[in-house]
Coordinates of all heavy atoms in Angstrom, one line a residue:
Q1294 N 94.1 84.6 71.8 CA 94.3 84.6 73.2 C 95.4 85.6 73.5 O 95.3 86.4 74.5 CB 94.7 83.2 73.7 CG 93.6 82.2 73.7 CD 92.5 82.6 74.6 OE1 92.7 82.8 75.8 NE2 91.3 82.7 74.0
A1295 N 96.5 85.7 72.8 CA 97.5 86.6 73.0 C 97.0 88.1 72.9 O 97.2 88.9 73.8 CB 98.7 86.4 72.0
L1296 N 96.3 88.4 71.8 CA 95.8 89.7 71.6 C 94.9 90.1 72.7 O 94.9 91.2 73.3 CB 95.1 89.8 70.2 CG 96.0 89.7 69.0 CD1 95.1 89.5 67.8 CD2 96.9 90.9 68.9
E1297 N 94.0 89.2 73.1 CA 93.0 89.5 74.1 C 93.7 89.8 75.5 O 93.3 90.7 76.2 CB 92.0 88.3 74.2 CG 90.9 88.6 75.2 CD 89.8 87.5 75.2 OE1 90.1 86.4 74.6 OE2 88.8 87.7 75.7
K1298 N 94.6 89.0 75.8 CA 95.3 89.1 77.1 C 96.2 90.4 77.1 O 96.3 91.1 78.2 CB 96.1 87.9 77.4 CG 95.3 86.7 77.8 CD 96.1 85.5 78.2 CE 95.3 84.3 78.5 NZ 94.9 83.5 77.3
Y1299 N 96.8 90.7 76.0 CA 97.6 92.0 76.0 C 96.7 93.2 76.2 O 97.0 94.0 77.0 CB 98.4 92.1 74.7 CG 99.6 91.3 74.5 CD1 99.9 90.5 73.4 CD2 100.6 91.3 75.5 CE1 101.1 89.8 73.3 CE2 101.8 90.6 75.4 CZ 102.0 89.8 74.3 OH 103.1 89.1 74.2
L1300 N 95.6 93.2 75.5 CA 94.7 94.3 75.6 C 94.1 94.4 77.0 O 94.0 95.5 77.6 CB 93.6 94.2 74.6 CG 94.0 94.4 73.1 CD1 92.9 94.0 72.1 CD2 94.4 95.9 72.9
K1301 N 93.7 93.3 77.6 CA 93.1 93.3 78.9 C 94.2 93.6 79.9 O 93.9 94.3 80.9 CB 92.5 91.9 79.2 CG 91.2 91.7 78.5 CD 90.6 90.3 78.8 CE 89.3 90.1 78.1 NZ 88.7 88.8 78.5
G1302 N 95.4 93.2 79.7 CA 96.5 93.6 80.6 C 96.7 95.1 80.6 O 96.9 95.7 81.7
I1303 N 96.6 95.7 79.5 CA 96.7 97.2 79.4 C 95.6 97.9 80.2 O 95.8 98.8 81.0 CB 96.6 97.7 77.9 CG1 97.9 97.3 77.2 CG2 96.5 99.2 77.8 CD1 97.8 97.4 75.7
L1304 N 94.4 97.3 80.1 CA 93.3 97.9 80.9 C 93.5 97.7 82.4 O 93.3 98.7 83.1 CB 91.9 97.2 80.5 CG 91.4 97.5 79.1 CD1 90.2 96.7 78.8 CD2 91.1 99.0 78.9
L1305 N 94.0 96.6 82.8 CA 94.2 96.4 84.2 C 95.3 97.3 84.7 O 95.2 97.8 85.8 CB 94.6 94.9 84.5 CG 93.4 93.9 84.4 CD1 93.9 92.5 84.5 CD2 92.4 94.2 85.4
F1306 N 96.4 97.4 84.0 CA 97.5 98.3 84.4 C 97.1 99.7 84.5 O 97.7 100.5 85.3 CB 98.7 98.2 83.4 CG 99.7 97.1 83.7 CD1 100.0 96.2 82.7 CD2 100.3 97.1 84.9 CE1 101.0 95.2 82.9 CE2 101.3 96.1 85.1 CZ 101.6 95.2 84.2
N1307 N 96.0 100.0 83.8 CA 95.4 101.4 83.9 C 94.2 101.5 84.7 O 93.3 102.4 84.5 CB 95.2 101.9 82.5 CG 96.5 102.2 81.8 OD1 97.1 103.3 82.1 ND2 97.0 101.3 81.0
Q1308 N 94.0 100.5 85.6 CA 92.9 100.5 86.6 C 91.5 100.5 85.9 O 90.6 101.2 86.4 CB 93.0 101.6 87.6 CG 94.4 101.6 88.3 CD 94.6 102.8 89.2 OE1 93.6 103.4 89.7 NE2 95.8 103.2 89.4
R1309 N 91.4 99.8 84.9 CA 90.1 99.6 84.2 C 89.5 98.2 84.4 O 90.3 97.3 84.4 CB 90.2 99.9 82.7 CG 90.8 101.3 82.3 CD 89.8 102.4 82.7 NE 89.9 103.6 82.0 CZ 90.7 104.6 82.2 NH1 91.6 104.5 83.2 NH2 90.7 105.7 81.5
S1310 N 88.3 98.1 84.4 CA 87.6 96.8 84.6 C 87.7 96.0 83.3 O 87.6 96.6 82.2 CB 86.2 97.0 85.0 OG 85.5 95.7 85.0
I1311 N 87.8 94.7 83.4 CA 87.7 93.8 82.2 C 86.6 92.8 82.3 O 86.4 92.0 81.4 CB 89.1 93.1 82.0 CG1 89.4 92.2 83.2 CG2 90.2 94.1 81.7 CD1 90.5 91.2 83.0
V1312 N 85.8 92.8 83.4 CA 84.8 91.8 83.6 C 83.7 91.7 82.5 O 83.2 90.7 82.2 CB 84.1 91.9 85.0 CG1 85.1 91.7 86.1 CG2 83.4 93.2 85.1
Q1313 N 83.5 92.8 81.8 CA 82.5 92.8 80.8 C 83.0 92.3 79.4 O 82.2 92.1 78.5 CB 81.9 94.3 80.6 CG 82.9 95.3 80.1 CD 83.6 96.0 81.2 OE1 84.0 95.4 82.2 NE2 83.9 97.3 80.9
Y1314 N 84.2 91.9 79.3 CA 84.8 91.5 78.0 C 85.1 90.0 78.1 O 86.2 89.5 78.3 CB 86.1 92.2 77.7 CG 85.9 93.7 77.7 CD1 86.5 94.5 78.7 CD2 85.1 94.3 76.8 CE1 86.3 95.8 78.7 CE2 84.9 95.7 76.8 CZ 85.5 96.4 77.8 OH 85.3 97.8 77.8
R1315 N 84.0 89.2 78.0 CA 84.2 87.7 78.2 C 84.0 86.9 76.9 O 84.2 85.7 76.9 CB 83.2 87.2 79.2 CG 83.4 87.8 80.6 CD 82.4 87.3 81.5 NE 82.5 88.1 82.8 CZ 82.2 87.6 83.9 NH1 81.7 86.4 84.1 NH2 82.4 88.3 85.0
N1316 N 83.6 87.5 75.8 CA 83.3 86.8 74.6 C 84.3 86.9 73.5 O 83.9 86.8 72.3 CB 81.9 87.1 74.2 CG 81.8 88.6 73.8 OD1 82.7 89.4 74.0 ND2 80.6 89.0 73.3
H1317 N 85.5 87.2 73.8 CA 86.6 87.4 72.8 C 86.3 88.5 71.8 O 86.8 88.4 70.7 CB 86.9 86.1 72.0 CG 87.1 84.9 72.9 ND1 88.1 84.8 73.8 CD2 86.4 83.7 73.0 CE1 88.1 83.6 74.4 NE2 87.0 83.0 74.0
D1318 N 85.6 89.5 72.2 CA 85.3 90.7 71.3 C 86.5 91.6 71.4 O 86.5 92.6 72.2 CB 84.0 91.3 71.7 CG 83.6 92.4 70.8 OD1 84.4 92.7 69.8 OD2 82.5 92.9 70.9
L1319 N 87.5 91.4 70.5 CA 88.7 92.2 70.5 C 88.5 93.6 70.2 O 89.1 94.5 70.7 CB 89.7 91.6 69.5 CG 90.3 90.2 69.9 CD1 91.2 89.7 68.7 CD2 91.0 90.2 71.2
S1320 N 87.5 93.9 69.3 CA 87.2 95.3 69.0 C 86.7 96.1 70.2 O 87.1 97.2 70.4 CB 86.1 95.3 67.9 OG 86.6 94.7 66.7
A1321 N 85.9 95.4 71.0 CA 85.3 96.1 72.2 C 86.5 96.4 73.2 O 86.5 97.5 73.7 CB 84.2 95.3 72.8
V1322 N 87.3 95.5 73.4 CA 88.5 95.7 74.3 C 89.4 96.7 73.8 O 89.9 97.6 74.5 CB 89.2 94.3 74.6 CG1 90.3 94.5 75.6 CG2 88.3 93.2 75.0
C1323 N 89.6 96.7 72.5 CA 90.5 97.7 71.8 C 89.9 99.1 72.0 O 90.6 100.1 72.3 CB 90.6 97.3 70.3 SG 92.0 98.1 69.5
K1324 N 88.6 99.2 71.8 CA 87.9 100.5 72.0 C 88.1 101.0 73.4 O 88.2 102.2 73.7 CB 86.5 100.4 71.6 CG 86.3 100.4 70.1 CD 84.8 100.4 69.7 CE 84.6 100.5 68.2 NZ 84.8 99.2 67.5
A1325 N 88.0 100.1 74.4 CA 88.2 100.4 75.8 C 89.6 101.0 76.0 O 89.8 101.9 76.8 CB 87.9 99.3 76.7
V1326 N 90.6 100.3 75.4 CA 92.0 100.8 75.5 C 92.1 102.2 75.0 O 92.8 103.1 75.5 CB 93.0 99.8 74.9 CG1 94.4 100.4 74.8 CG2 93.0 98.5 75.6
E1327 N 91.4 102.5 73.9 CA 91.5 103.8 73.2 C 90.9 104.9 74.1 O 91.3 106.1 73.9 CB 90.7 103.8 71.9 CG 91.3 103.0 70.8 CD 90.5 102.9 69.6 OE1 89.2 103.1 69.7 OE2 91.0 102.6 68.5
T1328 N 90.1 104.6 75.1 CA 89.5 105.6 76.0 C 90.5 106.0 77.0 O 90.2 107.0 77.8 CB 88.2 105.1 76.6 OG1 88.5 104.0 77.5 CG2 87.2 104.7 75.6
I1329 N 91.6 105.4 77.2 CA 92.6 105.8 78.2 C 93.3 107.0 77.7 O 94.1 106.9 76.7 CB 93.6 104.6 78.5 CG1 92.8 103.4 79.0 CG2 94.6 105.1 79.5 CD1 93.6 102.1 79.1
P1330 N 93.1 108.1 78.3 CA 93.6 109.4 77.7 C 95.1 109.5 77.6 O 95.6 110.2 76.7 CB 93.0 110.5 78.7 CG 92.6 109.8 79.9 CD 92.4 108.3 79.6
W1331 N 95.9 108.9 78.5 CA 97.3 109.1 78.5 C 98.0 108.1 77.6 O 99.2 108.1 77.5 CB 97.9 109.0 79.9 CG 97.4 107.9 80.7 CD1 98.0 106.6 80.8 CD2 96.3 107.8 81.6 NE1 97.3 105.8 81.6 CE2 96.2 106.5 82.1 CE3 95.3 108.7 81.9 CZ2 95.3 106.1 83.0 CZ3 94.4 108.3 82.8 CH2 94.3 107.0 83.3
I1332 N 97.3 107.2 76.9 CA 97.9 106.3 76.0 C 97.5 106.8 74.6 O 96.4 106.9 74.2 CB 97.3 104.9 76.2 CG1 97.7 104.3 77.5 CG2 97.8 104.0 75.1 CD1 97.2 102.9 77.8
D1333 N 98.6 107.2 73.8 CA 98.4 107.7 72.5 C 98.8 106.6 71.5 O 100.0 106.5 71.2 CB 99.2 109.0 72.3 CG 99.0 109.6 71.0 OD1 97.9 109.4 70.4 OD2 99.8 110.4 70.5
L1334 N 97.9 105.8 71.1 CA 98.2 104.7 70.1 C 97.9 105.1 68.7 O 96.9 105.8 68.4 CB 97.3 103.5 70.5 CG 97.6 102.9 71.9 CD1 96.6 101.8 72.2 CD2 99.0 102.2 71.9
C1335 N 98.7 104.6 67.8 CA 98.5 104.8 66.4 C 98.2 103.4 65.8 O 99.2 102.7 65.5 CB 99.7 105.5 65.8 SG 99.5 105.8 64.0
W1336 N 97.0 103.0 65.7 CA 96.6 101.7 65.2 C 96.8 101.6 63.7 O 96.5 102.6 63.0 CB 95.1 101.4 65.5 CG 94.7 101.4 67.0 CD1 93.9 102.3 67.6 CD2 95.1 100.5 68.0 NE1 93.7 102.0 68.9 CE2 94.5 100.9 69.2 CE3 95.9 99.4 68.1 CZ2 94.6 100.2 70.4 CZ3 96.1 98.7 69.3 CH2 95.4 99.1 70.4
P1337 N 97.2 100.5 63.2 CA 97.3 100.3 61.7 C 95.9 100.4 61.1 O 94.9 100.0 61.7 CB 97.9 99.0 61.5 CG 97.8 98.3 62.8 CD 97.6 99.3 63.9
A1338 N 95.8 100.8 59.8 CA 94.5 100.9 59.1 C 93.8 99.5 59.1 O 92.6 99.5 59.0 CB 94.7 101.4 57.7

């Protein structure tokens, strides 16, 4: 729940929709965060 809400919060803060992420698919939400061009994240391996 924490991971999912943090990632969805990032999307909302960046004016991205979250309605399509309803099944706890953290990988999909993470990929959506990666598409935000001004966020340069360095994910662990």
Side-chain angles (χ1 to χ4, degrees):
Q1294 292 297 303
L1296 291 167
E1297 186 174 12
K1298 287 180 184 88
Y1299 281 131
L1300 291 168
K1301 288 180 177 181
I1303 291 169
L1304 291 174
L1305 288 172
F1306 271 125
N1307 289 279
Q1308 302 176 30
R1309 300 294 204 277
S1310 175
I1311 63 169
V1312 295
Q1313 64 269 36
Y1314 307 110
R1315 296 179 189 210
N1316 61 353
H1317 307 299
D1318 188 352
L1319 296 176
S1320 295
V1322 183
C1323 199
K1324 285 182 175 82
V1326 169
E1327 289 175 341
T1328 66
I1329 301 170
W1331 51 88
I1332 296 180
D1333 187 21
L1334 295 170
C1335 183
W1336 302 112

